[in-house]
Amino acid sequence: MVDQLWWKTGVIYQIYPRSFKDTTGIGIGDLLGIIDSLDYLNNGTPGSLGIDAIWLSPVYPSPQVDFGYDVSDYCDIDPIFGNLEIFARLVDEAHKRGIRIIMDLVFNHTSDRHPWFRESRSELQNSKRDWYIWHAGKKGKPPNNWGSYFGGSAWQWDEITGQYYLAMFTSQQPDLNWRNPAVKQALFNVMRFWLDRGVDGFRLDVYNQYFKDVRFRSNPRKLNPLGFIYSFWGQEHIYDRDQPEMYEVLSDMRKLVDAYPERMMIGETADEDDYTKALDYYGRQNDGLHLAFNFDFLKSKWQPAYFRLAIRKWEENLPDWGWPAYVLSNHDVTRHFSRYNRGRQGLPRAKIAAAMQLTLRGTPTLYYGEEIGQAEVKLTRKQILDPPGKRYWPFYQGRDGCRAPMQWDNSPQAGFSSTGSWLPVNPDYRFKNVAVQQNDPASLLTFYQRLIALRKKTAALQIGNLILIDNNHKRILAYRRQIEDRKILVILNFSRRPQTLDLKADNSLYVLLGTHRNDTSILTDNQVALAGNEVLIIREGKNAKEENE
Ligand code: GLC
């Protein structure tokens, strides 16, 4: 309804393709499965989720050491997922439904099976030698103290030519040398390849690591007990990422992407402590990322103060042209349903979290299954397949717990596959699945559908400004969204007990959506009384009830 860019007003939905829907019976999801599910995601009616874009975790050919984040060919589709023809169909079918497609660009490193690396490692004189970062080492040791995210040194000794190569993730993911113009050229061509095939945007994997210090200086140490287990955690990462050259490359990427209409880039900023660094990458003028994920919520405890702080940090520090992008879950972290499931409060809290994410100023990215409250699946050490995840992230539990198959219905394998599944389905699928929630007006899925539909028709929610209300309330997070004279109030009770919020409203109030009631009599003596875990989304105005959104 608002004439604004889709990546500002829309809702992004992340699909981990291995886990979404398997149509070939190999126990791994595929592109045809995603095509089959498009109507569920958005068929234009209130009975579908209503999302605006799909971010596909990598589907390129890959040895799958890091499940696709180790790419061996940037310009094709892995046969386990389909092929380029099926991909074209996906883009086409998605576009017919108004759904955009965002590809994952893994440009910090390739797979060690990528032909570029095979050549590069084959001999010192090879023309691709300088496409990766090689070093002779110092006195028989790695050149510096840089550590891998997954433990150990980031330098891998390679017998073939007797030198080290740099690999910030697994040893099968050698880092590319972005200082070589031929590498930049080749990767920019990859972007053109996909843009020409109609993709609408890119998610940039750990982009702030592309450049490393030219002099290979060691990182200073930082006091962190985890540093004793993994050197990576005991360092200030000033030399192995966030180098100034990144700004120029991002601005060149931006020019490339902006040459195509209505395309975008959303960046994953690698950092452990301070995600606000991402703010720098919106560019010096409007020449950087269109969006940078805000990962603060991944660490927020279930108290309004944590969320409020994260929101304020971004609202106060974003450049004028910047736009926030909130995340509650993704394929690397424990699902938020489980993170917040203390005292079995998972479901009411999932509703509060959804209401928050979908009414804040900014673009929400949902992670498949969160709309039905999918929880972590408990895996034994043997069942954790992601080899890097096995070694670390988040510390020995691996990362696969959040990647269990989508729970479509209560048939065997939860309707994910007719045969088996690469990871065990969460046993709760028997009562928690799309089919049971689809027609239940009290379900989480229905709540998501209604929230997204409301957002879609309400300009204040899509692009209005945001003003936090009662910044000191310990249990209630409340804010107003406003565009011109149209105002929406969002009140979220984070406590399981009743709470009150002081509210001076000169106008009439009309409940648009909530968890506990739909009457308009919410104000008594300038106070709103909320039930435990209540969500209230209210329209404020002289004639709030009659007003047109
Ligand atoms: C990003 C991805 C993660 C992957 C890593 C290396 O952090 O989200 O899954 O392992 O980059 O590509």
Side-chain angles (χ1 to χ4, degrees), residues 66 69 106 109 150 169 173 203 205-206 268 331-332 393 399 403:
D66 190 4
Y69 285 94
V106 190
H109 44 266
F150 299 127
F169 292 88
Q173 290 164 297
R203 177 256 187 197
D205 189 66
V206 292
E268 180 207 27
H331 65 293
D332 289 327
W393 203 340
R399 294 179 290 174
R403 300 167 174 177

